[in-house]
Amino acid sequence: MPVHLIDITLPASLVAVSEARRVLSRYVQVGELADDGRLALSEAVTNAVEHTDSDRVRLVISHDEEAGSLMCAVRDGDAGLSHSAATRLACDEKEEGRGLGIIAALSRSWGFSTYGQGKWLWFCIGAKA
């Protein structure tokens, strides 16, 4: 079974959220991996679009069908989130702003790293690779 690797850049608008789900659904079509992947990716792209001044977001998606694993990474143009802030946001109980908490709950691992003027938010879902 193949490993699918997708690397695309989208305009930083809410249309990018539905486009990211559509792209992911092309390769991961059914089951919990697909459902969890679409939800977590939607949250990651929404965060990049709504909480940064980025004009573009980059998505890198790797789906290993045989292993049943999915890795997604979203890059935006704002390096402004510290690790302690991300941890607090992931555990926050407020009704809005819970995207990182959703990603943390659905993922076997997740994190972020700054990169020049931007950052990567990544997560892995499914079996360990």
Side-chain angles (χ1 to χ4, degrees), residues 16-126:
V17 178
S18 60
E19 180 64 14
R21 282 193 308 262
R22 188 187 66 73
V23 167
L24 180 63
S25 294
R26 188 178 314 148
Y27 299 100
V28 188
Q29 297 171 351
V30 296
E32 189 174 331
L33 187 65
D35 295 341
D36 290 352
R38 281 191 296 269
L39 178 54
L41 185 59
S42 294
E43 293 296 336
V45 174
T46 298
N47 283 346
V49 169
E50 290 188 346
H51 302 294
T52 73
D53 290 329
S54 301
D55 59 348
R56 310 209 43 87
V57 293
R58 181 176 171 196
L59 311 177
V60 177
I61 302 167
S62 176
H63 173 228
D64 186 332
E65 287 184 55
E66 188 173 327
S69 64
L70 176 67
M71 186 285 302
C72 298
V74 177
R75 185 187 186 287
D76 63 52
D78 185 350
L81 182 65
S82 69
H83 192 271
S84 60
T87 303
R88 280 195 315 274
L89 285 171
C91 300
D92 204 335
E93 296 292 326
K94 293 186 304 186
E95 278 206 30
E96 53 185 47
R98 296 186 343 197
L100 293 177
I102 291 169
I103 292 168
L106 295 174
S107 304
R108 66 176 159 80
S109 60
W110 73 280
F112 75 96
S113 59
T114 56
Y115 173 77
Q117 293 293 320
K119 70 179 157 308
W120 285 98
L121 171 64
W122 59 268
F123 59 88
C124 299
I125 298 176

